[in-house]
Amino acid sequence: MLESKHSLPILLVGQGLAGTILAHTLDQASVPFLMVDAPKTFFTSSYAAGGIFNPVTGRKLEKTWLVEELFGYLFPFYASLEKTLDCSLFHPMPLFRPYANEEMKSWLLERKEAIHNEYLCWEDKGVWIEKAGWLDVESLLTYSKSYFQSKKIIKEIVINPSIDLTVFDDEVHFQGQAYACVVFCEGYHAQQHNPFFGHLNFLPAKGELMKIRSQEPSSDYILNKNGFLLPLGNHEFKVGATYRWDDFSNQASTSAQLDLRAKLKTFGINEYQEIEMSAGVRPATQDRRPLVGFHPHLPLAIFNGFGSKGVSLSPYFAQQWLSEWKGERQINSEASIRRFYHLFST
Ligand SMILES: Cc1cc2nc3c(=O)[nH]c(=O)nc-3n(C[C@H](O)[C@H](O)[C@H](O)COP(=O)(O)OP(=O)(O)OC[C@H]3O[C@@H](n4cnc5c(N)ncnc54)[C@H](O)[C@@H]3O)c2cc1C
């Protein structure tokens, strides 16, 4: 990127979790930008998210991809965001994974030495996972919106990229203003409506969760047993989550409600009141890696594809996006859209 272009602001499209985290990263680095976001009635993933971060994944309790880089960055990043926004959002909390059954217990214990890592603490009934917790995503988005409004750097508008943007070789015009680059952070909407990046390897997955009130579960930890039970305080919990690849409507479904009630049963929770259901579409990808980087020929970029791990992936990759923008270093090759440059015509 040419240094002279850095005097123009950047345009960010979408204030979901991804756009919000990238915006704060630019704000902290004093990079000028304007953000546009559709009205809240627009369907998002972020407002439905459980917000959990967890350094361990899968039945074999493996460390999640890039765990040292991601989790080393995550804690100070969200702590500093709480200071900027003057609110409490980030809730580190242990996560407990009970053994699914006796067979699984024996299988894991026989391989304990090979499987063990620094995040695991083994017990008779299951495994505790450290450095886990949850982010209050809804509050993050609400407080951030007020923060950006107070700085007059956010507008409510649905952008149609083909009509609203005039793309030149080295800048983009929108509503009479020139921008150095447009960064699309539209979540799964990109697949349907983005003429520049919609052909990338999106594999959106609808998810639903249920908020309940109950006196039965512990409020001290997140329970993770083929689903999760997340304590929010005041005896309220989130139960999640479902996965579907054949329905992208914004309606909560009866099948998901039944599925989540069944999960509660397996968690041993019998007495509870259902408060509400929420639904969203995760911007997942076929290779389970994010879509971060720059269009090969035009001053356009993307910050998307965070799937079911937006909370832990987006802060680190926002920093990576900024580093490449500043010409310092390239984005991790597994996450960079350089892996799809052969799909862009010249
Ligand atoms: C049920 C469920 C549970 C989940 N649980 C977790 C969890 O525990 N932990 C975790 O890390 N992740 C979780 N996720 C995933 C998480 O929600 C996503 O990784 C993350 O929220 C994606 O954020 P995003 O900003 O990319 O997309 P979105 O949240 O979809 O945001 C996209 C934004 O772009 C805007 N937009 C789109 N098109 C336009 C346009 N043309 N013009 C203007 N604005 C536009 C939309 O209005 C929206 O504000 C969960 C998801 C679901 C559905």
Side-chain angles (χ1 to χ4, degrees):
M1 296 291 156
L2 294 174
E3 269 311 310
S4 60
K5 281 292 150 203
H6 288 169
S7 55
L8 289 175
I10 289 173
L11 180 65
L12 300 183
V13 180
Q15 198 233 325
L17 177 63
T20 300
I21 296 295
L22 184 58
H24 281 294
T25 301
L26 298 181
D27 187 49
Q28 284 163 5
S30 303
V31 175
F33 67 91
L34 174 75
M35 188 167 209
V36 291
D37 190 39
K40 210 179 162 184
T41 45
F42 221 61
F43 195 27
T44 76
S45 181
S46 304
Y47 278 99
I52 294 173
F53 51 93
N54 176 3
V56 166
T57 185
R59 294 171 71 189
K60 293 184 195 164
L61 302 166
E62 284 165 321
K63 289 196 224 178
T64 190
W65 176 61
L66 288 183
V67 68
E68 274 84 20
E69 290 87 338
L70 299 180
F71 279 68
Y73 193 69
L74 196 70
F75 283 71
F77 177 83
Y78 284 119
S80 96
L81 215 49
E82 284 184 323
K83 280 198 189 129
T84 305
L85 300 174
D86 193 20
C87 61
S88 163
L89 305 164
F90 188 62
H91 307 286
M93 183 179 273
L95 183 145
F96 186 59
R97 293 255 314 243
Y99 299 120
N101 48 45
E102 280 305 314
E103 195 186 339
M104 195 61 194
K105 179 177 176 178
S106 318
W107 191 91
L108 283 168
L109 291 179
E110 276 162 25
R111 292 161 183 77
K112 184 173 166 182
E113 249 176 63
I115 289 176
H116 184 68
N117 62 57
E118 67 270 34
Y119 301 104
L120 304 180
C121 184
W122 302 73
E123 248 194 25
D124 186 42
K125 292 194 168 144
V127 183
W128 288 96
I129 294 163
E130 287 165 13
K131 287 238 173 193
W134 67 285
L135 175 77
D136 183 343
V137 178
E138 185 169 351
S139 296
L140 168 68
L141 300 192
T142 309
Y143 281 102
S144 296
K145 187 170 185 178
S146 305
Y147 176 78
F148 299 137
Q149 278 169 337
S150 72
K151 296 184 129 200
K152 298 193 174 19
I153 50 174
I154 189 164
K155 280 187 181 177
E156 193 172 278
I157 178 169
V158 180
I159 282 213
N160 180 333
S162 308
I163 296 174
D164 300 325
L165 304 177
T166 312
V167 183
F168 297 97
D169 284 349
D170 53 0
E171 61 187 47
V172 183
H173 290 190
F174 168 64
Q175 294 189 338
Q177 163 75 46
Y179 293 89
C181 179
V182 179
V183 194
F184 293 101
C185 318
E186 312 137 286
Y188 92 104
H189 295 280
Q191 189 192 33
Q192 284 136 344
H193 304 297
N194 192 304
F196 307 105
F197 296 106
H199 61 299
L200 297 183
N201 71 338
F202 287 97
L203 183 63
K206 181 173 177 179
E208 295 180 52
L209 56 77
M210 186 194 281
K211 204 188 232 186
I212 62 159
R213 188 172 294 114
S214 174
Q215 305 292 326
E216 287 184 10
S218 167
S219 291
D220 298 335
Y221 61 89
I222 300 164
L223 180 66
N224 183 196
K225 188 181 176 188
N226 191 24
F228 62 80
L229 185 65
L230 168 67
L232 304 172
N234 298 323
H235 301 289
E236 290 187 358
F237 298 81
K238 277 184 182 173
V239 188
T242 60
Y243 281 80
R244 264 184 94 155
W245 292 268
D246 61 346
D247 162 31
F248 302 120
S249 70
N250 58 4
Q251 303 302 315
S253 64
T254 310
S255 64
Q257 197 173 16
L258 294 175
D259 196 1
L260 295 169
R261 285 179 189 160
K263 281 190 199 298
L264 278 165
K265 209 167 187 182
T266 66
F267 298 161
I269 310 301
N270 298 306
E271 301 267 321
Y272 58 89
Q273 288 161 265
E274 294 179 15
I275 303 175
E276 63 183 9
M277 293 280 298
S278 35
V281 178
R282 304 171 183 90
T285 60
Q286 289 165 28
D287 62 0
R288 295 171 171 228
R289 294 290 178 256
L291 296 168
V292 180
F294 299 85
H295 193 285
H297 317 299
L298 299 170
L300 303 171
I302 183 165
F303 193 66
N304 204 328
F306 296 106
S308 56
K309 294 192 172 172
V311 172
S312 46
L313 291 170
S314 55
Y316 177 76
F317 282 107
Q319 194 55 50
Q320 288 239 319
W321 187 94
L322 180 61
S323 286
E324 184 160 332
W325 169 246
K326 291 197 312 204
E328 292 167 357
R329 119 186 108 115
Q330 284 190 3
I331 294 158
N332 176 300
S333 60
E334 282 185 76
S336 170
I337 61 160
R338 280 172 200 277
R339 69 195 191 277
F340 297 118
Y341 273 6
H342 59 282
L343 300 177
F344 290 81
S345 51
T346 46

